[in-house]
Amino acid sequence: MNSKIKVAILYIATGRYSIFWKHFLSSAEKNLLIECNKHYFVFTDDNELLSQDSCDKVTFIHQKKLGWPYDTLMRFDIFLTQKAKLKNYDFIFYFNANTEILSEVTVSDLLTINNHQDLIFALQPHSFHKKINKFTYDRNPNSSAYIPYNSGKFYFTGALNGGKSKAYLEMCETLNANVRKDLNTETIALWHDESHLNKYALNRSDIKILPPYFTRGESEYWKKSSKIMFSDKTHFRFGGHAYLRGETDQKIDQNEWERSRDRQKKRHGFRLKQLFKSLFIIR
Ligand code: UDP
């Protein structure tokens, strides 16, 4: 009998985001939960990927491009199309398309949770150090993702999250219902799925929180201990973020990208605040 932990990896790559898949897969095969039985569920409209036969490692599922922001907002609905299969896994984990696993991520890094923990979330790498009223929670009282000021403790990223499969699927059901309820009143939460995720996390005590520097952005080279990196979607090598999302057909060029980077300062203050918070964050 195979007693390895079974992990379903959820991955959405519609429209231009399919360019990230091969890179993600090779880094995950090398470094991610190598002691587990992993299976990738890839939701895509890329004909080249869809023409590959699914195998014991990967299932490609046709998912049409819904347009921005629905490509990410509707993720809970998209995941639930595979609920019957996902139930059979011990854990489910979602990764944003532009994820790269930099070094070995073990079961104890990512999955080991105590009996009171069901979900695994990561702090938003650019804003975990902020004061709670500066978190970009959704402040719209008409939204299901509404969080009033002076509430909450952490700001979680939507870029990766997971959990025990039962708890993760329960979360998908609730958040899918919340997204749909909002759509009925033409409401879209500020940061889409991420706002809903943060609302779900509010006042819960069953979340394993990954360390502050566990993930980093591509340009945050000083976070040496990070095991997971998100490629810079604004980079001209991808044509820029709006081009990737299909919001424009106009790619940005190197000059434009460099000008936007020049506007960012050296960020010493930001780095110091993050370092300080990372040392004292109470999880
Ligand atoms: N996504 C996609 N196609 C799109 C836009 C988004 O597949 O055209 C998926 C993809 O998995 C991406 C995720 O939605 O990683 C979140 O989108 P994005 O990275 O643009 O949002 P951000 O994380 O910057 O808010």
Side-chain angles (χ1 to χ4, degrees), residues 42-280:
V42 181
F43 302 88
T44 186
D45 59 348
D46 184 303
N47 286 331
E48 207 181 304
L49 294 183
L50 290 164
S51 69
Q52 297 177 26
D53 285 335
S54 293
C55 57
D56 57 356
K57 203 193 298 177
V58 189
T59 303
F60 292 104
I61 301 129
H62 181 263
Q63 172 57 50
K64 75 172 185 190
K65 176 154 174 63
L66 301 172
W68 184 257
Y70 304 97
D71 300 302
T72 189
L73 176 69
M74 300 312 292
R75 61 172 63 181
F76 307 109
D77 193 37
I78 292 172
F79 299 155
L80 288 169
T81 62
Q82 302 303 306
K83 185 175 177 181
K85 288 186 184 153
L86 294 173
K87 269 186 193 163
N88 300 321
Y89 289 80
D90 300 308
F91 288 89
I92 300 174
F93 230 94
Y94 165 82
F95 291 92
N96 252 11
N98 59 323
T99 306
E100 186 181 335
I101 317 294
L102 298 173
S103 58
E104 192 178 347
V105 173
T106 62
V107 167
S108 72
D109 290 328
L110 199 67
L111 301 184
T112 307
I113 50 187
N114 64 38
N115 285 341
H116 310 292
Q117 293 172 322
D118 287 322
L119 296 166
I120 304 146
F121 287 3
L123 300 167
Q124 219 290 343
H126 311 305
S127 58
F128 68 81
H129 62 287
K130 292 185 177 165
K131 295 205 161 70
I132 57 168
N133 284 345
K134 296 275 184 197
F135 286 158
T136 55
Y137 291 146
D138 191 0
R139 307 297 186 182
N140 172 7
N142 299 322
S143 164
S144 306
Y146 170 63
I147 298 181
Y149 286 101
N150 302 315
S151 308
K153 196 166 168 197
F154 303 107
Y155 189 85
F156 295 111
T157 176
L160 83 165
N161 48 71
K164 290 177 186 157
S165 61
K166 185 166 175 287
Y168 195 83
L169 288 169
E170 263 167 35
M171 177 183 86
C172 290
E173 294 281 5
T174 302
L175 297 188
N176 184 36
N178 289 352
V179 168
R180 289 189 169 280
K181 189 171 137 233
D182 285 358
L183 288 176
N184 285 337
T185 59
E186 296 182 6
T187 305
I188 291 185
L190 179 65
W191 289 111
H192 321 117
D193 48 282
E194 186 170 275
S195 301
H196 287 282
L197 190 83
N198 275 283
K199 176 63 181 275
Y200 196 74
L202 197 67
N203 304 327
R204 290 186 84 97
S205 54
D206 62 346
I207 298 174
K208 166 176 166 140
I209 303 174
L210 297 171
Y213 285 6
F214 192 76
T215 67
R216 69 169 174 91
E218 183 179 336
S219 58
E220 295 177 310
Y221 56 86
W222 61 88
K223 295 183 177 173
K224 303 280 184 222
S225 60
S226 297
K227 292 185 172 232
I228 293 185
M229 183 183 87
F230 303 110
S231 302
D232 179 5
K233 289 164 291 191
T234 69
H235 200 281
F236 67 92
R237 72 185 190 279
F238 303 127
H241 204 173
Y243 176 80
L244 263 182
R245 287 171 171 171
E247 293 178 291
T248 173
D249 289 329
Q250 187 80 40
K251 292 183 178 182
I252 60 159
D253 61 21
Q254 187 166 353
N255 288 338
E256 201 179 331
W257 180 71
E258 276 168 5
R259 273 199 304 278
S260 69
R261 281 171 62 82
D262 281 349
R263 284 197 290 274
Q264 292 180 14
K265 300 184 210 91
K266 287 251 180 246
R267 311 179 85 194
H268 290 309
F270 168 84
R271 287 164 61 171
L272 206 64
K273 276 186 198 157
Q274 284 217 321
L275 180 65
F276 190 74
K277 182 79 181 195
S278 74
L279 296 174
F280 294 103

